[in-house]
């Protein structure tokens, strides 16, 4: 139990960090950092920098996965990158939630240069930590039930981390605003946001330390079937794994639609409902539902399997979107809609994570050697890509809809509401439908098929003494596709 809880604590700090960066940083930029009428250009510059850096860095994620796979230390291949990456990324988070000692007003150009450098270091370090953390999963156990336990505990922790920040963000910012700035009750200041960022940074580093101290990689003949992966080879590893690619595409459409909606949610409460304080209820509701959702995953996976979980979950989310459209400015209906939108999210995430984890052995059977971190890097890559594009979308939508600074709901025009609804509701709904269709028709790596693949791998490695990878390669493509199962 100690190892499961420690892995969950790592996920807790990890996702508190991710949500803060992907969802709330743009709110800080538009509501605190640049609030004057002439600051729209600076918002645009910061948004552009974030999108360019994150999208540009994403292409290196498979290479980072290759670096992790090729690591060999007394602490294993994952832990040094997990802890070191978390430390550097957390320091960067604290920096970007500041005005760089007044440079935003005294020297905006210097601010942009320093911000860009900080964000490159932050994003790169976070990538090493992110990929290391999640690619530990197939190394912690080869058994499906144990992997499900690790994945479920991790999702439990990440749910509490991601949704917990929703609960604490507004009270924490207001508290630190009073402590550091002497602000009146209900007011937010830059110093208040900085205090909140420091808390998240501490949670991120603390969680990584707990994971490093109390989890261990397994060593067996299947995991030993590895070789040094070159820079170009990492992309071939991904390209050859057809099931990984289909899972990745379906998950990207889902993740992007969810992150865009979630990123605009705080704007909805502040600029549509005119009740920013009520946003705390979102955290309370989603934390409770998240615990129930994650706890139900093992039983659901055994009962209906991943494909039904993924597609059925999207069906429930679509009902939530429809209810949200009818909610308008009704707080109660909006909260019910949020519940419907969020409840399936941890289930869909876990179904995807388990499918990608199982694709490690699928790819191993096809290629003849194992690539854990390269394969598992695809999921964090997708989350960061969707988060990066979301940052750009949120910045554009906020300015286009007039939802910046101290604007009130009455200041938002009908055109502004239309643009806001287009990106918060209509586009995400279309993407979800396409995602479900892809997962249902193209993803065929079921739990039963994975068990058969593991059995074939063990047999081959026993027959070859785990030394003739070429023999495995010769028959791998035939064997990988000779296990038809569309359940």
């Amino acid at each position: 139990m100690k190892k499961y809880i420690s892995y969950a604590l790592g996920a807790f700090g990890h996702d508190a960090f991710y949500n803060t960066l992907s969802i709330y940083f743009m709110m800080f930029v538009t509501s605190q950092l640049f609030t004057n009428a002439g600051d729209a250009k600076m918002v645009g510059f910061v948004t552009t920098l974030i999108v360019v850096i994150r999208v540009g860095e994403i292409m290196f994620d498979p290479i980072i996965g290759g670096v992790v796979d090729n690591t060999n230390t007394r602490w294993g291949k994952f832990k040094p990158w997990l802890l070191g990456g978390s430390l550097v990324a957390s320091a960067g988070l604290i920096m970007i939630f500041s005005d760089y000692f007044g440079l935003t007003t005294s020297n905006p150009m210097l601010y942009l240069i320093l911000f860009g450098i900080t964000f490159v270091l932050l994003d790169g370090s976070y990538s090493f930590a992110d990929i290391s953390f999640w690619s530990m999963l197939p190394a912690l156990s080869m058994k499906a039930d144990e992997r499900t336990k690790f994945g479920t505990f991790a999702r439990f922790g990440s749910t509490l981390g991601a949704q917990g920040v929703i609960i604490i963000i507004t009270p924490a910012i207001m508290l630190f605003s009073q402590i550091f700035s002497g602000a009146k009750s209900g007011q937010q200041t830059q110093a208040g946001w900085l205090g909140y960022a420091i808390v998240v940074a501490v949670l991120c580093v603390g969680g990584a330390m707990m994971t490093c101290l109390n989890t261990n990689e397994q060593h067996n003949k299947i995991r030993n079937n590895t070789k040094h992966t070159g820079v170009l080879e990492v992309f071939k590893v991904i390209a050859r794994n057809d099931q990984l690619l289909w899972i990745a595409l379906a998950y990207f459409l889902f993740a992007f639609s969810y992150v865009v909606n979630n990123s605009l949610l705080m704007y909805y409460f502040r600029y549509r409902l005119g009740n920013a304080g009520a946003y705390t209820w979102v955290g309370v509701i989603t934390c409770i539902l998240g615990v129930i959702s994650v706890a139900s995953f093992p039983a659901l996976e055994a009962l209906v399997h991943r494909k039904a979980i993924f597609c059925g979950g999207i069906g429930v989310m679509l009902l939530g979107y429809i209810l949200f459209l009818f909610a308008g400015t009704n707080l109660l209906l909006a909260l019910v809609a949020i519940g419907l939108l969020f409840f399936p999210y941890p289930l869909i995430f876990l179904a995807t994570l388990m499918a990608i984890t199982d694709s490690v052995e699928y790819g191993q059977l096809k290629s003849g050697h194992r690539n854990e971190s390269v394969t598992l890097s695809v999921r964090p890559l997708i989350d960061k890509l969707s988060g990066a594009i979301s940052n750009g979308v949120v910045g554009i939508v906020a300015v286009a809809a007039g939802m910046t600074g101290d604007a009130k709901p009455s200041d938002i025009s009908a055109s502004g509401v239309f643009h806001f609804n287009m990106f918060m509701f209509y586009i995400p709904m279309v993407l979800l439908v396409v995602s479900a269709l892809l997962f249902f028709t193209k993803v065929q790596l079921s739990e039963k098929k994975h068990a058969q693949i593991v059995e074939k791998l063990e047999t081959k490695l026993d027959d070859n003494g785990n030394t003739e990878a070429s023999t495995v390669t010769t028959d791998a493509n035939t064997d990988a596709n000779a296990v038809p199962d569309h359940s």
Side-chain angles (χ1 to χ4, degrees):
M1 186 59 67
K2 185 178 180 180
K3 61 186 179 183
Y4 295 128
I5 293 174
S6 296
Y7 198 55
L9 290 173
F12 177 89
H14 196 73
D15 270 42
F17 183 104
Y18 176 79
N19 261 22
T20 297
L21 181 64
S22 296
I23 297 176
Y24 301 119
F25 178 65
M26 285 309 300
M27 172 62 79
F28 168 72
V29 170
T30 58
S31 66
Q32 295 295 325
L33 206 57
F34 302 111
T35 58
N36 297 325
D39 283 342
K41 287 185 178 180
M42 288 298 292
V43 173
F45 288 144
V46 171
T47 300
T48 302
L49 274 173
I50 292 173
V51 174
V52 170
I53 291 171
R54 298 196 80 181
V55 172
E57 187 273 332
I58 282 166
M59 67 176 291
F60 293 103
D61 274 13
I63 298 175
I64 292 173
V67 172
V68 175
D69 269 336
N70 295 331
T71 298
N72 184 18
T73 73
R74 58 181 293 189
W75 303 283
K77 67 167 67 172
F78 307 107
K79 293 178 181 179
W81 297 113
L82 172 58
L83 186 55
S86 297
L87 283 166
V88 176
S90 295
L93 184 75
I94 294 171
M95 284 299 299
I96 66 172
F97 272 91
S98 72
D99 62 358
Y100 284 71
F101 306 101
L103 288 179
T104 52
T105 54
S106 64
N107 195 332
M109 184 56 64
L110 181 58
Y111 163 79
L112 290 174
I113 293 172
L114 293 177
F115 172 80
I117 294 172
T118 304
F119 204 88
V120 167
L121 294 173
L122 180 159
D123 207 42
S125 301
Y126 178 78
S127 294
F128 272 101
D130 193 30
I131 291 169
S132 299
F133 180 82
W134 290 109
S135 60
M136 287 179 73
L137 187 56
L140 295 173
S141 177
M142 293 298 300
K143 297 179 180 179
D145 58 339
E146 288 189 2
R147 283 185 176 180
T148 296
K149 284 182 181 179
F150 273 112
T152 301
F153 269 83
R155 188 61 232 177
F156 179 79
S158 63
T159 297
L160 292 180
Q163 307 313 125
V165 297
I166 298 177
I167 297 175
I168 71 166
I169 184 168
T170 300
I173 292 170
M174 291 179 179
L175 174 63
F176 288 122
S177 295
Q178 290 178 338
I179 295 173
F180 298 142
S181 305
K184 296 180 181 179
S185 178
Q187 289 184 332
Q188 298 182 11
T189 66
Q190 290 184 21
W193 279 85
L194 178 60
Y196 161 75
I198 292 172
V199 171
V200 173
V202 171
L203 291 174
C204 180
V205 174
M209 290 180 64
M210 292 300 296
T211 298
C212 290
L213 289 172
N214 298 307
T215 60
N216 293 293
E217 302 173 37
Q218 279 193 356
H219 297 283
N220 51 54
K221 60 189 175 184
I222 292 181
R223 286 204 68 229
N224 290 335
N225 181 218
T226 60
K227 71 172 186 178
H228 182 88
T229 306
V231 172
L232 296 179
E233 184 68 20
V234 298
F235 296 101
K236 293 179 182 178
V237 168
I238 295 172
R240 286 194 294 257
N241 196 325
D242 57 292
Q243 285 299 286
L244 174 64
L245 292 176
W246 284 120
I247 296 166
L249 180 56
Y251 180 69
F252 169 72
L253 296 175
F254 159 76
F256 177 64
S257 64
Y258 179 81
V259 173
V260 168
N261 176 273
N262 212 25
S263 298
L264 291 171
L265 200 55
M266 199 170 187
Y267 287 84
Y268 179 88
F269 276 80
R270 181 165 181 173
Y271 297 106
R272 290 283 284 129
L273 295 179
N275 190 353
Y279 186 67
T280 300
W281 283 107
V282 175
V284 175
I285 292 170
T286 53
C287 261
I288 295 172
L289 292 179
V291 171
I292 298 171
S293 178
V294 172
S296 66
F297 179 78
L300 283 174
E301 186 184 38
L303 182 65
V304 299
H305 304 299
R306 297 170 193 154
K307 186 171 287 189
I309 292 173
F310 190 100
C311 298
I314 284 181
V316 175
M317 292 181 73
L318 289 173
L319 292 176
Y321 273 113
I322 293 171
L323 181 59
F324 224 140
L325 287 171
F326 285 102
T329 57
N330 186 302
L331 175 60
L332 180 60
L333 285 181
L335 291 175
V336 174
I338 289 167
L340 288 173
L341 278 171
F342 177 79
F343 182 79
Y345 172 71
L347 296 173
I348 295 172
F349 175 93
L350 280 169
T352 304
L353 178 63
M354 293 298 102
I356 292 177
T357 301
D358 287 354
S359 73
V360 171
E361 284 77 38
Y362 176 84
Q364 183 176 1
L365 188 60
K366 292 194 71 173
S367 67
H369 57 270
R370 187 176 182 84
N371 296 96
E372 293 170 335
S373 294
V374 172
T375 303
L376 269 293
S377 71
V378 171
R379 205 278 311 159
L381 181 155
I382 293 169
D383 277 340
K384 286 188 292 182
L385 179 60
S386 59
I389 300 174
S390 173
N391 284 149
V393 169
V394 169
I396 293 169
V397 173
V399 173
M403 297 181 177
T404 59
D406 295 324
K408 297 178 177 57
S410 57
D411 299 328
I412 311 302
S413 66
S415 175
V417 172
F418 173 78
H419 282 96
F420 184 77
N421 287 347
M422 176 65 71
F423 285 92
M424 186 169 180
F425 303 118
Y426 303 132
I427 293 177
M429 290 175 72
V430 173
L431 295 179
L432 283 180
V433 171
V434 177
S435 172
L437 289 173
L438 284 174
F439 201 92
F440 183 77
T441 59
K442 295 295 184 180
V443 177
Q444 297 169 5
L445 182 57
S446 66
E447 296 90 327
K448 180 180 177 181
K449 184 171 183 177
H450 174 257
Q452 293 171 337
I453 289 172
V454 170
E455 185 177 348
K456 284 182 175 292
L457 276 173
E458 291 176 337
T459 301
K460 280 187 173 293
L461 293 173
D462 281 337
D463 292 343
N464 292 296
N466 200 18
T467 60
E468 296 179 23
S470 59
T471 305
V472 181
T473 306
T474 302
D475 300 323
N477 289 335
T478 302
D479 291 330
N481 295 304
V483 197
D485 177 24
H486 301 277
S487 61

